[in-house]
Amino acid sequence: MPLRNEDLKIMFRKMLTIRRFEERAIQEYQNGNVYGFIHSYIGQEAIATGVCSHLRIDDRIVSNHRGHGHCIAKGADLKRMMAEIFGKKTGYCKGKGGSMHIADFKIGMLGANGIVGAGLPIALGSALAARLEGGDGISVVFFGDGACGEGTFHESLNLASIWKLPIVFVCENNLYGVNTPTSYSMAAENIADRAAAYSMPGVVADGNNPVTVYETAEKAVNRARKGEGPSLVEFRTYRWRAHFEGGGVPDLRQADELEEWKKRCPVALMERRLLETGLMDSDELKALDAQIMSLVQDAVEFAILSPDPDPEDALKDIFSD
């Protein structure tokens, strides 16, 4: 289905929300209000937005350690997200999970995951559940290039193909695993080429162009929804920040490389499209930005005013078989 003008506006709003939320989360971390680590999604906003634009609330997604963008694109509440990042009782996981473990089952967000590659088999299970439930619900899993070196990647693609499950594997290839370039860690040039070994379509696309992401994801989502099986989609992109905020690990990437990728900013690209096509003018864009900044500010204030977990809460919500 071609992108409508209203779809473009909605996508831009979500992308800008992700950008402003991440910027503020980083700021709060630097101010000492956030414990643990923040893995920023800045630079990759088009992928989560473009893919999730095709999903219904009953479709399920599984994320990774860099998961704030996926949460927002799927419709998560900014206040509960920020409260979780702050470690507060009102957060999605009652302050116990932090940045890397945000989940909201009611909107089909099965959770971010701090273990590289661990989300793949979880998404496989949710795709199997969708099959058993009947209907045309699907599952999408987001993971980075580093996860493709894990056994869970190959095992999940293999089972998905054997069982012809309704799942889309979305690899956000930002070209580095921490500081190790994929050109050093991978023998294959394209991650998507591995799809052939598991008898499913594999495609490489520009992850910084929101329209390209939307159109590429549409094919894979429709294939899964029609019961035709899984697809592997590799979106090439680039994260603007270091692997994570803090921790004393230096960013060893070349500064000129980062600057070149910043020229391909997905948020700026969509903004230019809206301006050039007359869908929004500069005043409307400024007003939208101010509105989003206000929502993010509300989320921060909510987090600050929320209570900390009680010590005895550490022994609650623990399950074991």
Side-chain angles (χ1 to χ4, degrees):
M1 178 184 297
L3 269 168
R4 301 169 301 175
N5 291 343
E6 192 59 33
D7 295 328
L8 292 169
K9 291 182 181 180
I10 292 172
M11 286 178 63
F12 178 72
R13 181 187 182 91
K14 286 191 175 182
M15 290 170 62
L16 189 57
T17 300
I18 295 170
R19 175 66 61 88
R20 297 303 184 224
F21 184 93
E22 292 290 68
E23 289 173 343
R24 189 58 185 272
I26 292 169
Q27 179 184 333
E28 294 302 322
Y29 175 87
Q30 294 171 342
N31 290 342
N33 294 326
V34 174
Y35 302 98
F37 299 118
I38 296 287
H39 295 75
S40 170
Y41 197 67
I42 293 177
Q44 302 180 203
E45 296 91 348
I47 301 174
T49 302
V51 173
C52 290
S53 294
H54 296 287
L55 304 183
R56 307 187 305 239
I57 195 168
D58 60 316
D59 293 322
R60 302 179 177 101
I61 69 170
V62 181
S63 180
N64 60 357
H65 54 278
R66 202 175 306 284
H68 300 166
H70 309 135
C71 292
I72 293 172
K74 195 63 167 70
D77 182 79
L78 298 186
K79 291 183 177 180
R80 295 187 66 190
M81 283 183 64
M82 194 66 80
E84 186 60 37
I85 293 171
F86 272 61
K88 296 302 186 77
K89 204 168 186 175
T90 54
Y92 267 116
C93 299
K94 302 178 183 178
K96 301 178 182 180
S99 169
M100 290 188 283
H101 298 93
I102 295 173
D104 186 347
F105 292 1
K106 292 181 180 179
I107 63 170
M109 172 54 182
L110 301 190
N113 201 309
I115 302 173
V116 175
L120 287 148
I122 295 173
L124 194 73
S126 69
L128 178 59
R131 165 74 57 76
L132 296 175
E133 290 164 352
D136 61 351
I138 72 165
S139 179
V140 174
V141 56
F142 296 93
F143 54 96
D145 46 276
C148 299
E150 298 289 335
T152 50
F153 169 81
H154 300 277
E155 294 161 1
S156 297
L157 265 67
N158 188 51
L159 270 179
S161 185
I162 291 172
W163 293 341
K164 208 172 183 179
L165 293 179
I167 185 171
V168 180
F169 296 96
V170 178
C171 177
E172 298 184 82
N173 184 357
N174 58 28
L175 310 184
Y176 286 88
V178 188
N179 283 315
T180 303
T182 54
S183 58
Y184 178 85
S185 62
M186 285 177 20
E189 180 179 354
N190 301 314
I191 291 169
D193 291 344
R194 298 179 181 182
Y198 303 106
S199 299
M200 68 176 70
V203 61
V204 182
D206 182 359
N208 279 34
N209 187 316
V211 175
T212 298
V213 173
Y214 179 92
E215 293 173 347
T216 303
E218 183 177 33
K219 297 176 183 177
V221 167
N222 287 345
R223 171 181 162 84
R225 213 177 286 289
K226 292 177 182 177
E228 297 173 356
S231 301
L232 171 60
V233 183
E234 175 188 354
F235 289 115
R236 295 287 179 88
T237 186
Y238 202 86
R239 55 177 163 82
W240 287 19
R241 305 288 298 182
H243 177 65
F244 57 81
E245 303 299 316
V249 178
D251 188 351
L252 301 180
R253 300 174 302 168
Q254 297 298 312
D256 57 345
E257 180 181 72
L258 172 58
E259 290 307 311
E260 282 301 312
W261 276 93
K262 282 188 174 182
K263 294 176 183 178
R264 299 168 58 187
C265 172
V267 178
L269 180 66
M270 181 65 92
E271 183 177 285
R272 285 197 300 271
R273 182 184 181 111
L274 293 173
L275 285 170
E276 291 170 359
T277 56
L279 294 178
M280 295 182 75
D281 58 35
S282 58
D283 288 338
E284 290 174 314
L285 290 169
K286 289 178 182 177
L288 176 61
D289 194 14
Q291 182 185 49
I292 290 171
M293 293 284 279
S294 178
L295 292 174
V296 173
Q297 177 64 29
D298 289 345
V300 171
E301 292 177 1
F302 174 79
I304 291 173
L305 295 174
S306 292
D308 293 321
D310 298 316
E312 56 268 25
D313 289 342
L315 300 179
K316 296 178 180 178
D317 303 310
I318 297 176
F319 304 91
S320 174
D321 56 3

